[in-house]
């Protein structure tokens, strides 16, 4: 019997030769990530003091202030200040602020390698599985244990394999693939499982698109999202000087999957997730009667270079609908600067967009785009729960960057192929 990618990674991390799904193991952590919202200011600092221990290896810890940057009020400013000072006090040199959402910063700065085990105090830590790593979110108490010992226990997850084959139609993106998959699997259908993406559609995707897929795996309840290692992974890692090959990090032909889904990419239309569940998915054209007040392109899900470039191509030479707000937040400072150099931000601004700092703010409704009572937003973010982006009476629809851009032009949810 062969092994899945998750089983192979868990075997290395635990020091066991033979590992299979449902085994419970102690695993060594290769990288621990904390953000400002769920980082050291909560139980973590208190727990370490109670145990009388310090961080086991500061070089393996990354701290990123992203949710509350730039701070919108005194409360947020004090949290960022505490986080910054805590990192310095504990000798953690890998501290980032105003750099962008944590998940993009982690991969952009080479903090994730194939085959590594990464834990983070954010549920979308599963993003890093796009690099053939096993990455998952943990709570503050568990993170305190990781910081003290460098280990944690895990049950090896069963794996659901999702295969996409064929060419995606024009103006259909990875976000549409993700939403269609989650709609089929269900919001809890992959609970404590690995959601593994495979097939020639996935193989053709650039890393920007793969990161979108694995980012949203948790929206189906998954413990981790993962894409196998290939030349796309190698090319992405080469920018950080990583030349080692990790070709073994693919599931074996005779690996056992607890469930399998298969989709034809050529049949996929632009998708939207309707309020208030991510698995409440349908084709964008079916929601064309929904008027919107705000459109948002950004976050660790939909604010990467490819996302902004695709939106700009649609918006070039056009103007957004009167009275509509189009907000754009590049997913990192690096992406912001690249889009600035290439004129992408200029195209977006001339279309009527307001370009924001690289931040998590609007995604969870804490600053830079909070929704008022009764307002409707179409967004490239990863969640549309009640009150997620502001008022509990507001509504959020999730879609790809080009679908959001098309909707900003018309003032209602729009299939981008109609533009």
């Amino acid at each position: 019997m062969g092994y899945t990618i998750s089983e192979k990674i868990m075997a290395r991390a635990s020091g066991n030769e033979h590992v299979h799904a449902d085994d419970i193991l102690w695993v060594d952590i290769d990288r621990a990530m904390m953000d400002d919202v769920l980082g050291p200011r909560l139980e973590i600092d208190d727990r370490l003091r109670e145990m009388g221990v310090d961080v086991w290896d500061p070089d393996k810890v990354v701290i990123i202030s992203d949710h509350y940057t730039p701070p919108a009020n005194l409360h947020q400013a004090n949290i960022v200040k505490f986080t910054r000072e805590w990192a310095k006090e504990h000798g953690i040199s890998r501290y980032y602020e105003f750099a962008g959402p944590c998940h993009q910063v982690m991969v952009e700065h080479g903090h994730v390698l194939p085959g590594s085990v990464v834990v983070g105090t954010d549920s979308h830590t599963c993003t890093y599985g796009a690099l053939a790593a096993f990455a998952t979110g943990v709570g503050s108490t568990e993170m305190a244990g990781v910081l003290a010992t460098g280990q944690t226990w895990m049950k090896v997850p069963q794996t659901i394999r999702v295969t996409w084959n064929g060419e995606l139609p024009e103006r259909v993106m990875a976000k549409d693939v993700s939403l269609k998959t989650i709609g089929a699997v269900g919001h809890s259908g992959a609970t404590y499982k690995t959601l593994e993406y495979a097939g020639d559609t996935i193989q053709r995707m650039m890393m920007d698109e793969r990161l979108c897929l694995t980012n949203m795996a948790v929206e189906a309840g998954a413990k981790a999202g993962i894409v196998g290692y290939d030349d796309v992974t190698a090319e992405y890692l080469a920018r950080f000087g990583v030349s080692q090959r990790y070709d073994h990090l693919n599931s074996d032909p005779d690996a056992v999957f607890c469930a399998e889904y298969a989709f034809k990419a050529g049949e996929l239309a632009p998708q939207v997730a309707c309020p208030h569940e991510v698995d409440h998915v349908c084709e964008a054209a079916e929601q064309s009667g929904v008027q919107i007040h705000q459109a948002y392109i950004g976050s660790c899900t939909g604010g990467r270079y490819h996302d902004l470039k695709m939106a700009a191509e649609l918006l070039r030479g056009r103007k957004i609908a009167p009275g509509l707000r189009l907000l754009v937040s590049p997913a990192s400072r690096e992406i912001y600067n690249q889009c600035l150099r290439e004129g992408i931000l200029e195209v977006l601004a001339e279309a009527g967009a307001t370009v924001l700092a690289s931040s998590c703010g609007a995604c969870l409704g804490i600053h830079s785009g909070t929704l008022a009572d009764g307002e409707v937003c179409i967004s490239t973010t990863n969640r549309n729960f009640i009150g997620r982006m502001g008022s509990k009476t507001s509504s959020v629809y999730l879609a790809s960057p080009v679908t959001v851009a098309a909707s900003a032009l018309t003032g209602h949810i729009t299939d981008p192929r109609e533009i």
Side-chain angles (χ1 to χ4, degrees):
M1 184 168 60
Y3 297 96
T4 65
I5 305 173
S6 293
E7 289 168 341
K8 291 180 180 183
I9 296 174
M10 291 291 103
R12 181 204 62 81
S14 65
N16 292 288
E17 184 178 356
H18 301 292
V19 167
H20 291 288
D22 297 327
D23 289 348
I24 296 177
L25 310 166
W26 278 97
V27 298
D28 293 330
I29 301 302
D30 297 293
R31 192 75 75 187
M33 187 280 295
M34 291 184 286
D35 57 29
D36 47 1
V37 169
L38 296 172
R41 74 183 180 93
L42 294 177
E43 295 183 16
I44 293 171
D45 184 60
D46 291 340
R47 296 297 185 200
L48 290 179
R49 293 183 186 276
E50 288 174 4
M51 290 184 284
V53 299
D54 205 343
V55 176
W56 101 100
D57 188 344
D59 288 339
K60 292 185 177 181
V61 179
V62 182
I63 300 180
I64 303 166
S65 290
D66 57 352
H67 289 65
Y68 291 146
T69 56
N73 52 51
L74 179 60
H75 176 69
Q76 294 180 7
N78 281 332
I79 290 172
V80 174
K81 177 186 177 185
F82 178 89
T83 306
R84 182 192 310 124
E85 293 177 347
W86 195 92
K88 184 177 181 180
E89 177 187 351
H90 292 271
I92 296 168
S93 60
R94 292 178 173 86
Y95 172 76
Y96 300 88
E97 189 176 318
F98 291 94
C102 55
H103 307 307
Q104 184 65 23
V105 172
M106 283 288 288
V107 296
E108 272 188 3
H109 289 267
H111 297 317
V112 179
L113 290 176
S116 60
V117 177
V118 185
V119 295
T121 55
D122 187 284
S123 57
H124 293 101
T125 298
C126 54
T127 304
Y128 320 145
L131 292 172
F134 187 92
T136 192
V138 297
S140 297
T141 301
E142 186 172 355
M143 180 58 77
V146 168
L147 293 178
T149 67
Q151 293 184 315
T152 192
W153 69 269
M154 288 187 188
K155 182 174 76 170
V156 181
Q158 299 177 24
T159 296
I160 297 174
R161 190 171 214 183
V162 179
T163 303
W164 282 85
N165 285 314
E167 290 270 4
L168 289 172
E170 186 178 4
R171 293 182 177 173
V172 175
M173 300 182 68
K175 183 62 169 283
D176 301 304
V177 171
S178 179
L179 291 177
K180 182 68 175 181
T181 300
I182 294 168
V185 175
H187 71 273
S188 61
T191 298
Y192 211 103
K193 295 177 174 64
T194 294
L195 202 60
E196 178 183 322
Y197 282 92
D200 58 50
T201 308
I202 311 303
Q203 292 170 355
R204 283 191 289 266
M205 284 185 176
M206 65 181 66
M207 189 56 65
D208 277 6
E209 296 175 296
R210 295 181 181 190
L211 289 164
C212 173
L213 296 180
T214 51
N215 174 278
M216 294 197 63
V218 70
E219 307 310 331
K223 182 74 171 176
I226 207 159
V227 176
Y229 178 90
D230 60 12
D231 288 341
V232 174
T233 326
E235 182 180 343
Y236 187 83
L237 292 169
R239 68 181 67 182
F240 312 117
V242 177
S243 58
Q244 179 180 345
R245 297 289 302 190
Y246 298 86
D247 295 284
H248 67 286
L249 289 174
N250 282 282
S251 292
D252 294 329
D254 55 345
V256 176
F257 302 101
C258 64
E260 296 192 55
Y261 292 81
F263 299 92
K264 296 178 180 179
E267 299 176 356
L268 184 63
Q271 306 285 298
V272 293
C274 304
H276 297 283
E277 298 289 347
V278 183
D279 63 350
H280 186 193
V281 177
C282 65
E283 294 186 3
E286 297 176 28
Q287 299 297 318
S288 60
V290 176
Q291 300 294 313
I292 61 173
H293 303 93
Q294 178 169 298
Y296 180 66
I297 300 173
S299 85
C300 61
T301 311
R304 298 185 179 87
Y305 169 77
H306 180 67
D307 300 322
L308 272 58
K309 180 182 178 182
M310 293 292 290
E313 288 177 359
L314 186 70
L315 292 170
R316 187 181 298 276
R318 298 184 170 103
K319 296 290 184 182
I320 64 173
L324 183 96
R325 310 185 300 273
L326 171 59
L327 307 180
V328 176
S329 177
S332 72
R333 182 185 297 162
E334 282 75 11
I335 293 170
Y336 189 110
N337 290 338
Q338 183 178 2
C339 290
L340 184 64
R341 289 192 301 269
E342 297 184 13
I344 291 173
L345 296 186
E346 182 179 5
V347 171
L348 296 171
E350 288 182 348
T354 297
V355 181
L356 307 172
S358 299
S359 171
C360 296
C363 176
L364 65 163
I366 54 177
H367 61 74
S368 303
T370 303
L371 296 178
D373 292 340
E375 289 193 318
V376 178
C377 177
I378 186 167
S379 174
T380 66
T381 53
N382 43 39
R383 286 184 175 153
N384 60 349
F385 305 157
I386 293 175
R388 170 69 180 181
M389 294 184 73
S391 170
K392 291 184 178 180
T393 63
S394 65
S395 296
V396 178
Y397 291 78
L398 304 179
S400 76
V402 288
T403 299
V404 172
S407 302
L409 290 174
T410 63
H412 59 85
I413 294 178
T414 301
D415 185 325
R417 298 174 300 182
E418 297 177 4
I419 302 298

